[in-house]
């Protein structure tokens, strides 16, 4: 459940906002003590904002509450007086020597949150982002559970039943993950039963669980639903080691595809680490086609079943399976990537209507609309452009300036292919070191997008492993464009 507040910057607004913040945090699964700390951070920041951002004029504050396992994020925006946080650095020495508490409020906010960012958006005002990772305090009995039950090798009857996942399965899923991978599985929130329970209950995901005749969970596979489109990601897949090579992964994937069709899901994405080609092979076997390669997009894996070189951030191969037979893209293809995008569409054998700029008569291009999000643990940012307006370049310049002081490995930006010509926007982004990322079908509001990426760390493409010929072509295309840029690391 996400929420949005728009309020006058008045001192009387603080109490109802903090009350709502605490209740929202606990409703999303945060423990009460951590919710109280997070709420205190919001209270401190909002108080300073109301007192100092609008000293004379009446102003307004916008607050977004976002829920994305395993993280809660609160974004506060205002358009008051300019502010430079570097001039308000907290110094314990000054407190002791001079009684100067400058910056104490911002320091408190940093201490009470896992991530705290300030973004100067220029004419679009100022933005503060506070994030807190959900934690779990009641799963320490997993090892005791494992030690107290018979081993799977002792079970002689390997008859299996596939059932839809329910929130009551959350604890069994955590134990299954632990038995299969210890604590090396990349989706850390699966070790936290409460978090998984909340995601299933709130409809963030659906899937299937495999049990033996004795009721033991031995397989689990889910679809994680997108927040802004009727698509999903196949992920969180596990089969217990003694039960592998028995066709369970195939049965679960078929079940997920059928479940997705019944729920009106229009397409499925498979995101496979490029250090793990087995996942790529599974996706290919079920008719997925590679459309994007996202470089330096995730942190190094500690998966116990394969050893990886952690000398650079890891990359992800994006595969797509359309489920909607009525997918008939009508797109503007930018000159720079026209031929390659056409080739990517041909994989799916769908009717493709390529529009020309002369076909577009907008009258008024309208306002540029873009939304910024962060994956803090991976040091990545993503910008989604929902409308390319007449001020796209100035808005993008402002957005990029706001990110200059943030320590990032990569920035991705999604450019719409369907609603307006995009050649000028793509060329400006290329001049600013954005290169091809890939085609992202139906990714936002069931519309196709071009994903571009700006890689901010040095990358050795020889360490990126891909399986199919299509994926190899994609990797080479991106590598050539990357190496053609002047390196500035």
């Amino acid at each position: 459940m996400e929420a949005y507040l728009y309020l006058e910057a008045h001192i009387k607004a603080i109490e109802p906002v903090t009350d709502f913040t605490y209740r929202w945090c606990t409703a999303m699964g945060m423990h009460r003590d951590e919710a109280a700390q997070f709420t205190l951070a919001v209270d401190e920041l909002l108080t300073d904002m109301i007192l100092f951002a609008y000293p004379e004029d009446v102003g307004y504050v916008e607050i977004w509450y976002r829920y994305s396992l395993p993280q809660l994020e609160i974004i506060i925006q205002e358009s008051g007086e300019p502010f430079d946080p570097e001039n308000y650095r907290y110094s314990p020495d000054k407190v002791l020597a001079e009684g100067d508490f400058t910056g104490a409020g911002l320091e408190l906010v940093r201490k009470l949150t896992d991530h705290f960012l300030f973004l100067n958006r220029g004419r679009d005002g100022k933005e503060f982002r506070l994030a807190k990772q959900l934690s779990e305090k009641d799963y320490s009995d997993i090892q005791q559970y494992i030690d107290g039950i018979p081993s799977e090798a002792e079970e002689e009857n390997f008859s299996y039943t596939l059932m839809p996942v329910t929130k009551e399965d959350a604890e069994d899923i955590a134990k299954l993950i632990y038995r299969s991978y210890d604590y090396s599985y990349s989706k850390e929130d699966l070790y936290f039963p409460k978090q998984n329970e909340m995601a299933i209950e709130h409809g963030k995901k659906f899937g299937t669980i495999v049990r033996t005749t004795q009721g033991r969970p031995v397989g689990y596979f889910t679809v994680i639903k997108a927040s802004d489109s009727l698509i999903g990601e196949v992920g969180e897949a596990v089969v217990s080691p003694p039960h592998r090579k028995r066709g369970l992964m195939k049965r679960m994937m078929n079940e997920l595809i059928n479940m997705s069709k019944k729920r009106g899901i229009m397409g499925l994405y498979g995101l496979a680490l490029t250090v793990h080609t087995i996942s790529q092979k599974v996706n290919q076997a079920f008719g997925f086609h590679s459309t994007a390669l996202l470089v330096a997009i995730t942190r190094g894996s500690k998966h116990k079943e394969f050893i990886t070189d952690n000398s650079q951030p890891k990359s992800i191969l994006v595969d797509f399976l359309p489920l909607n037979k009525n997918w008939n893209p009508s797109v503007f293809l930018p000159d720079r990537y026209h031929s390659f995008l056409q080739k990517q569409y041909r994989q799916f054998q769908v009717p493709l209507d390529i529009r020309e700029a002369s076909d577009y008569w907008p009258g008024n291009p309208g306002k540029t609309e873009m939304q910024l999000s962060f994956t803090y643990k991976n040091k990545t940012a993503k910008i989604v452009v929902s409308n390319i307006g007449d001020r796209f370049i100035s808005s993008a310049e402002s957005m990029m300036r706001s990110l200059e002081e943030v320590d990032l490995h990569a920035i991705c930006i999604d450019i719409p292919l369907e609603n307006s010509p995009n050649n000028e926007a793509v060329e400006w982004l290329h001049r600013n070191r954005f290169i091809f990322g890939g085609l992202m079908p139906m990714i936002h509001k069931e519309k196709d997008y071009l994903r571009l990426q700006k890689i901010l760390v040095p990358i050795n493409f020889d360490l990126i492993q891909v399986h199919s010929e299509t994926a190899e072509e994609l990797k080479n295309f991106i590598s050539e464009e990357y190496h053609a840029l002047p390196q500035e690391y």
Side-chain angles (χ1 to χ4, degrees):
M1 180 186 71
E2 300 191 350
Y4 169 75
L5 301 179
Y6 181 79
L7 54 128
E8 184 178 337
H10 193 282
I11 201 72
K12 291 183 178 180
I14 296 175
E15 184 176 349
V17 170
T18 54
D19 182 63
F20 174 81
T21 300
Y22 177 80
R23 292 176 182 273
W24 179 80
C25 289
T26 54
M28 293 301 100
M30 187 176 286
H31 289 275
R32 291 183 179 181
D33 54 345
E34 293 178 335
Q37 293 179 6
F38 204 34
T39 301
L40 180 58
V42 172
D43 182 293
E44 179 65 33
L45 189 59
L46 189 61
T47 301
D48 286 351
M49 198 176 292
I50 289 173
L51 291 177
F52 302 115
Y54 300 99
E56 298 178 1
D57 301 327
V58 173
Y60 296 88
V61 176
E62 296 178 85
I63 308 177
W64 286 264
Y65 295 80
R66 292 182 180 172
Y67 168 66
S68 178
L69 282 173
Q71 171 184 283
L72 300 185
E73 183 181 36
I74 297 176
I75 303 169
I76 306 178
Q77 289 185 354
E78 47 90 352
S79 299
E81 288 189 346
F83 166 77
D84 183 358
E86 291 300 318
N87 293 331
Y88 299 89
R89 286 285 180 179
Y90 176 73
S91 171
D93 293 336
K94 284 188 176 182
V95 172
L96 294 175
E98 307 170 20
D100 184 352
F101 286 86
T102 298
L106 291 178
E107 183 67 15
L108 176 63
V109 173
R110 291 188 183 94
K111 295 290 186 183
L112 294 174
T113 58
D114 293 329
H115 303 281
F116 175 53
L117 291 180
F118 166 75
L119 301 176
N120 186 343
R121 302 287 294 274
R123 285 179 292 184
D124 294 326
K126 301 183 291 297
E127 179 174 298
F128 300 84
R129 290 184 175 237
L130 302 82
K132 189 79 172 174
Q133 299 294 118
L134 292 170
S135 64
E136 191 78 15
K137 299 184 177 180
D138 59 354
Y139 71 103
S140 58
D141 64 333
I142 290 179
Q143 181 60 60
Q144 180 179 354
Y145 172 90
I146 299 302
D147 292 339
I149 60 177
S151 68
E152 292 174 78
E154 297 174 21
E155 293 187 6
E156 297 179 356
N157 188 347
F158 286 139
S159 176
Y160 304 107
T161 302
L162 275 70
M163 295 176 288
V165 167
T166 68
K167 65 178 184 178
E168 284 74 24
D169 296 316
E171 185 176 354
D172 276 354
I173 291 167
K175 293 166 181 175
L176 171 61
I177 297 292
Y178 178 85
R179 287 203 304 270
S180 301
Y181 299 111
D182 294 333
Y183 284 115
S184 69
Y185 195 71
S186 59
K187 301 287 185 74
E188 295 179 21
D189 51 294
L190 289 180
Y191 293 106
F192 305 149
K194 294 293 184 185
Q195 292 183 24
N196 207 21
E197 181 181 323
M198 292 285 291
I200 295 168
E201 184 177 13
H202 290 188
K204 295 277 186 177
K205 64 175 74 170
F206 61 88
T208 184
I209 187 168
V210 181
R211 294 185 182 272
T212 64
T213 304
Q214 292 80 5
R216 176 195 289 272
V218 295
Y220 166 71
F221 207 168
T222 58
V223 170
I224 303 168
K225 294 170 65 177
S227 60
D228 65 345
S229 194
L230 291 174
I231 57 171
E233 175 200 340
V234 289
E236 301 181 351
V238 59
V239 173
S240 186
H243 299 265
R244 292 175 185 172
K245 298 183 180 180
R246 298 172 182 267
L248 293 183
M249 188 63 72
K250 180 178 180 180
R251 290 176 61 182
M252 287 193 294
M253 179 68 92
N254 282 327
E255 184 68 14
L256 288 186
I257 292 173
N258 291 332
M259 294 172 76
S260 297
K261 291 178 178 178
K262 291 177 181 178
R263 284 168 168 77
I265 299 297
M266 300 180 68
L268 292 175
Y269 276 93
L271 308 185
L273 282 171
T274 57
V275 296
H276 196 206
T277 56
I278 294 175
S279 298
Q280 300 176 37
K281 294 176 183 177
V282 170
N283 291 340
Q284 186 180 16
F286 282 89
F288 286 75
H289 294 285
S290 298
T291 64
L293 176 62
L294 308 181
V295 180
I297 203 70
T298 187
R299 62 182 179 177
S301 174
K302 297 180 181 179
H303 201 299
K304 76 172 187 176
E305 295 195 350
F306 52 94
I307 300 173
T308 65
D309 183 342
N310 286 322
S311 60
Q312 66 183 28
K314 296 298 172 286
S315 303
I316 288 177
L317 184 68
V318 178
D319 298 317
F320 183 71
L321 175 68
L323 300 179
N324 181 10
K325 295 181 179 180
N326 297 319
W327 179 37
N328 301 310
S330 178
V331 294
F332 295 91
L333 300 183
D335 294 342
R336 182 172 293 276
Y337 304 121
H338 192 285
S339 296
F340 199 82
L341 286 169
Q342 267 191 293
K343 189 173 184 178
Q344 288 193 298
Y345 272 116
R346 281 197 292 269
Q347 299 179 96
F348 301 102
Q349 300 180 343
V350 294
L352 181 63
D353 174 25
I354 300 178
R355 303 178 65 188
E356 302 295 334
S358 58
D359 300 331
Y360 183 67
W361 300 95
N364 181 0
K367 180 182 179 182
T368 294
E369 297 177 2
M370 57 177 68
Q371 185 177 81
L372 172 68
S373 62
F374 290 93
T375 304
Y376 295 96
K377 67 178 183 179
N378 293 332
K379 295 187 175 182
T380 59
K382 183 174 72 175
I383 302 165
V384 176
V385 181
S386 54
N387 187 61
I388 301 175
D390 50 5
R391 291 187 60 242
F392 171 80
I393 291 178
S394 60
S395 296
E397 285 177 338
S398 176
M399 182 75 77
M400 294 308 155
R401 281 198 300 269
S402 73
L403 294 175
E404 287 177 356
E405 301 301 318
V406 182
D407 181 22
L408 296 171
H409 289 162
I411 304 171
C412 293
I413 184 165
D414 287 357
I415 300 295
L417 292 175
E418 297 196 33
N419 65 356
S420 61
N422 45 45
N423 198 60
E424 184 179 358
V426 170
E427 289 304 311
W428 182 87
L429 288 164
H430 184 75
R431 291 194 297 272
N432 285 270
R433 300 177 58 82
F434 279 86
I435 63 174
F436 192 75
L439 172 66
M440 304 296 289
M442 306 185 203
I443 191 69
H444 306 295
K445 307 297 182 185
E446 295 80 53
K447 301 295 184 182
D448 296 358
Y449 277 69
L450 165 66
R451 178 162 294 181
L452 301 177
Q453 55 189 334
K454 186 173 186 177
I455 305 166
L456 301 173
V457 292
I459 289 294
N460 180 358
F461 277 78
D462 292 336
L463 299 178
I464 297 177
Q465 304 171 41
V466 294
H467 170 65
S468 68
E469 290 185 11
T470 302
E472 189 67 36
E473 289 179 7
L474 180 61
K475 170 186 168 181
N476 292 337
F477 186 82
I478 294 172
S479 176
E480 289 175 8
E481 194 172 14
Y482 169 82
H483 287 106
L485 295 173
Q487 303 301 302
E488 298 180 352
Y489 309 113

